Amino acid sequence: MIHVVASIKVKPSSLEDFIGIFKANVPLVLAEDGCLGYEPVMDLPTDMAVQAKEPNVVTVVEKWESVDALKAHLSSPHMLDYRGKTAAMVEDAKVRILSAV
């Protein structure tokens, strides 16, 4: 199993639309072969000094059976459609592909 953490910085004026498009895509991703989890989250406001606070960043926490399942996900028709709809809304994106130690 692999874990993926994707941080997507969204233009402030596009955040609501981005989240709507993203959430509409989630059931399609969860139905993919090899998907064990896929959830968008955002920073929770707290008074904890250790917390990095990044406004307008949607973090996607994912679990996949394998790198091959992740590769298939990235080239799936619904992901290509999602990226086309959201490309102009995104300022930056970083992806970390992780395994347990």
Side-chain angles (χ1 to χ4, degrees), residues 21-97:
I21 293 167
F22 192 99
K23 284 185 173 184
N25 198 43
V26 169
L28 299 172
V29 175
L30 290 172
E32 290 180 47
D33 288 338
C35 182
L36 304 174
Y38 191 80
E39 182 177 19
V41 295
M42 293 186 72
D43 286 334
L44 176 70
T46 72
D47 60 358
M48 299 176 68
V50 70
Q51 180 181 3
K53 295 173 179 76
E54 298 185 75
N56 303 315
V57 172
V58 176
T59 300
V60 187
V61 180
E62 309 176 35
K63 290 184 184 179
W64 295 92
E65 287 181 357
S66 65
V67 171
D68 287 339
L70 175 60
K71 286 179 181 179
H73 159 69
L74 294 173
S75 63
S76 65
H78 55 271
M79 286 306 295
L80 298 174
D81 182 54
Y82 152 80
R83 282 196 294 279
K85 290 177 180 175
T86 62
M89 301 176 184
V90 174
E91 291 182 352
D92 189 33
K94 293 182 172 72
V95 175
R96 299 192 61 193
I97 302 168

